[in-house]
Amino acid sequence: MATEALRAQVASKWQDAFTRLNHGEAGISGLMLFSHAWNLSTEFLRPKDIALQKKQYNMSSVRAALTMVNNCRRLPALLEHFLEDLRKSYHLVAIEVTQYLQEYEANGDTSILSRLVYRLLEWFNAWAPPPELGPTVFSAYTLNFQTLLFSTLPSTFTAAFKALCASTLLSPESEVEGNSEARSPRLWAAFESLGLFDRYEYIVESVGYEHIEAHVLQSCTGEWSKPLLEDLRAWMSDKMVAWMLLPYARSAKNPDEARTMLAGVGARFDFHMNKTLCDLRTKEIFDIIIDFPDSMGALQDLKLQDCLQRVDQRSALVQSLRKSNHKRLLHPGADTKLILSQYVATIKCLRIIDPPGVLLFKVADPIRRYLRERPDTIRSIVANLVGDDDGGDSLVDENEPIQPLQQADVEDYSDPNWEPEPVDAGPEFRTNKPSDVISTLVSIYDSKDLFVKELQVLLAQRLLAISEDDTEKRRSIEILKIRFGEAALQVCEVMLKDMTDSKRIDGHVQSRQASSVHPTIISKHFWPALESSDIVMPGQFQKLQEQYSLEFAIFKPDKQLRWLPHLGTVHLELQLDDRVVEADVPPLEAAFIELFSEKTVWTVDELIAGVGSVDRSSALNALLTWVDRGVLKEDTEGTFRLLEIAEEPSAGPSSHVRQALIAPELPPATSSQQQQAEQMKVYWKFIEGMLTNLGTLPLDRIHSMLKFAPGYDRTIEQLAAFMEAARREGLVTGRDDQWRLSS
């Protein structure tokens, strides 16, 4: 049971409450006035359907009623009652939200979403409590209205809201049309009043990010000729900042305040623009290097610290380029000259992007290792330096100064210009690496001796082929002496001296007895081993050689000439019955045609016996030279006849030899064509292995890989003829220049 004290306490509180509500009036008249004020207040605040006609109230009576409720300390109860009515009436809003969203999903017009937002704002303003109740009541109402709104919105509203925000970022064509409603500050104010901006701010930012990304990809993809980063920043200032003012700085009173409010989001958007450009250039870096130097603009963008270094894309650039090199460059189908050209371009490009060389060190390592494994790398480099590489551009820039090969030096920490290694340099990174391209190429191998030996071979070939007035080739030889040093090229000096002495000796011999023979006389022990041959020059050629040897023995009694008759060139003037034929041919062709001065018809075997030991393939090729010139004709298989009187070209057996290269569908008709087929069968095992391991391959890929086979010197047309023959035999199938083994 309640104690007497508790009864007294309850009675006291009851009396205080009654007195407060009754306002000290007689009886319960004050309580009746409060009841009327409560009913008027709750009726006024109760949410109503705005589609119906709005009931008119005496605002003086309403304010008085609200004041009485507040004075009676019943405002919290009134707020609770109002919020409960809000929850009960919110289905009216939910119905319209559903209707608008269904209409939008039906036709995708974002203007429907704008009307929905304005309609929600209309509901929000219509149900808002009067200002007399104070900010606390309004804040509670706002929170509850937004909570009910978010619980009503379906999951599809997120995508719809994103589309509405995206429509505020208009393309230049749309701006001309003047869709001002999409860019109205009123729309963003409605977002803020309804709490949509705070809840979906990440969507607003994603719209900005995607718009920036789309513009960068559209304007920068494949555009490498000029730097574009400054143009992108100008576009940001002109287009994006104007849009950013609406959601992020709408309340700014002056430019300084707006700049302060946009600092954070502006920095994020600028970072995203840089990252998008870096991602794009990272994907394009292989093609950018191929297009160098026309792609200098893209490299200058990557060189800026705001681009590559700020977004921390250095590692991604290395990985992308290494992956592209592995896929598109470092495979058997790529020619060594192509790999070297791309490597040189990579060196130049990455030195522009990253002068310290960290990126180049990480990217170049797989290329250098792959080139070391290729057997023709040294020869390709040296041939390019000597000038014998006519299959592509020079690896050396003509404007690059000629200087000796450089070697990596030990770091000098006392150097006042010394700088520490970059933070992303690995433990194997070496500073002060060779700076010129030639030194970098030579440094692929541990020693330059391999290059010197190969250089001696190519130099010998070049000197033997040099002409009387070929000063440009001699200049390139002097340049190589500068690069590799005098000590490394002492043997080459002997070769150069032999060339000078050879002309002097030939001049002396010619002064004693004029001869049509002008040999190049070289030292046996200082020249690379030259290919030997057992060819014996017949007839007048042998007599000319013997006469020259006698005169040489008189001039140089302590030395003896050993002829290499298979080397050199012979200028011939053939006196036939109806014509004169002049030709510069190799010695074997000259030897064969000399034999025809003895009799007009020879077989291949008789011709081979007449000049010594020579393989049948070389003999046939030599005879075909005269067949093509209309001097010889192959009457029957392996039998050739001298044409003293020229004949009209016919589709005889000899013509089929050449036609087989371009018309493989013709049936074999001559022994020469059969000889070529026999030679190609040697390489069938190589082709079969390629197609077994790699599957379907194009003809040019097969041709490139066959170049690694010993002695392969066929043209792609000859290979095509052989593949057609293999297809007819059922060994392979081909379609659209793609070949595979028959199943």
Side-chain angles (χ1 to χ4, degrees), residues 264-322:
V265 66
R268 293 194 297 272
F269 281 174
D270 183 73
F271 179 86
H272 185 74
M273 180 193 68
N274 282 273
K275 189 176 188 307
T276 303
L277 181 60
C278 273
D279 289 340
L280 176 62
R281 293 297 183 242
T282 298
K283 294 177 182 177
E284 298 176 328
I285 186 63
F286 187 87
D287 297 304
I288 290 174
I289 293 175
I290 291 178
D291 202 45
F292 181 82
D294 294 336
S295 58
M296 181 64 73
L299 298 175
Q300 291 176 353
D301 279 338
L302 288 173
K303 182 181 179 181
L304 297 176
Q305 292 185 353
D306 289 347
C307 191
L308 188 64
Q309 190 168 348
R310 179 186 176 190
V311 300
D312 195 20
Q313 285 286 99
R314 290 167 63 88
S315 177
L317 181 71
V318 170
Q319 294 300 324
S320 175
L321 187 51
R322 289 181 62 148

Side-chain angles (χ1 to χ4, degrees), residues 221-495:
T221 301
E223 296 292 334
W224 308 326
S225 59
K226 65 176 183 177
L228 297 175
L229 191 57
E230 292 303 321
D231 293 343
L232 291 176
R233 285 178 173 160
W235 172 82
M236 284 277 291
S237 299
D238 295 339
K239 304 298 182 183
M240 289 301 298
V241 171
W243 175 81
M244 291 161 56
L245 289 172
L246 297 176
Y248 298 105
R250 192 177 59 260
S251 60
K253 297 181 178 59
N254 52 65
D256 291 337
E257 187 175 349
R259 191 177 298 108
T260 302
M261 298 174 72
L262 292 178
V265 66
R268 293 194 297 272
F269 281 174
D270 183 73
F271 179 86
H272 185 74
M273 180 193 68
N274 282 273
K275 189 176 188 307
T276 303
L277 181 60
C278 273
D279 289 340
L280 176 62
R281 293 297 183 242
T282 298
K283 294 177 182 177
E284 298 176 328
I285 186 63
F286 187 87
D287 297 304
I288 290 174
I289 293 175
I290 291 178
D291 202 45
F292 181 82
D294 294 336
S295 58
M296 181 64 73
L299 298 175
Q300 291 176 353
D301 279 338
L302 288 173
K303 182 181 179 181
L304 297 176
Q305 292 185 353
D306 289 347
C307 191
L308 188 64
Q309 190 168 348
R310 179 186 176 190
V311 300
D312 195 20
Q313 285 286 99
R314 290 167 63 88
S315 177
L317 181 71
V318 170
Q319 294 300 324
S320 175
L321 187 51
R322 289 181 62 148
K323 183 177 180 180
S324 297
N325 286 338
H326 179 75
K327 181 180 180 180
R328 302 173 60 181
L329 188 68
L330 306 181
H331 55 79
D335 188 71
T336 302
K337 299 173 185 176
L338 175 63
I339 299 176
L340 287 170
S341 298
Q342 183 72 358
Y343 178 40
V344 170
T346 301
I347 294 172
K348 296 177 180 178
C349 292
L350 293 186
R351 282 178 177 170
I352 293 173
I353 299 174
D354 177 44
V358 177
L359 299 183
L360 176 60
F361 179 77
K362 295 180 178 180
V363 170
D365 185 58
I367 304 177
R368 294 166 66 87
R369 284 190 280 106
Y370 186 81
L371 286 172
R372 277 197 296 268
E373 296 172 357
R374 283 219 168 190
D376 59 339
T377 298
I378 296 178
R379 187 170 188 85
S380 298
I381 296 175
V382 174
N384 192 281
L385 297 181
V386 173
D388 288 344
D389 182 12
D390 55 358
D393 298 332
S394 174
L395 300 177
V396 185
D397 189 354
E398 296 180 356
N399 298 324
E400 185 173 326
I402 303 171
Q403 54 187 342
L405 296 179
Q406 302 178 16
Q407 300 294 332
D409 301 326
V410 179
E411 285 190 289
D412 182 10
Y413 297 102
S414 62
D415 183 4
N417 297 322
W418 176 87
E419 294 182 359
E421 295 179 354
V423 294
D424 57 344
E428 298 180 356
F429 176 72
R430 301 186 302 272
T431 56
N432 297 327
K433 296 180 294 301
S435 58
D436 66 298
V437 173
I438 297 302
S439 298
T440 305
L441 292 176
V442 174
S443 68
I444 293 176
Y445 298 88
D446 296 332
S447 173
K448 67 178 182 181
D449 294 340
L450 297 173
F451 285 89
V452 173
K453 292 179 180 178
E454 186 65 33
L455 181 62
Q456 292 172 1
V457 174
L458 288 182
L459 185 58
Q461 297 173 354
R462 189 177 182 83
L463 289 174
L464 291 176
I466 211 165
S467 60
E468 197 69 36
D469 56 349
D470 202 345
T471 57
E472 183 62 29
K473 293 184 179 180
R474 292 187 179 276
R475 177 181 177 275
S476 65
I477 295 173
E478 296 298 326
I479 291 175
L480 290 173
K481 289 169 58 181
I482 297 175
R483 290 193 182 279
F484 287 88
E486 294 285 348
L489 297 182
Q490 287 181 353
V491 174
C492 297
E493 285 288 345
V494 175
M495 290 191 286

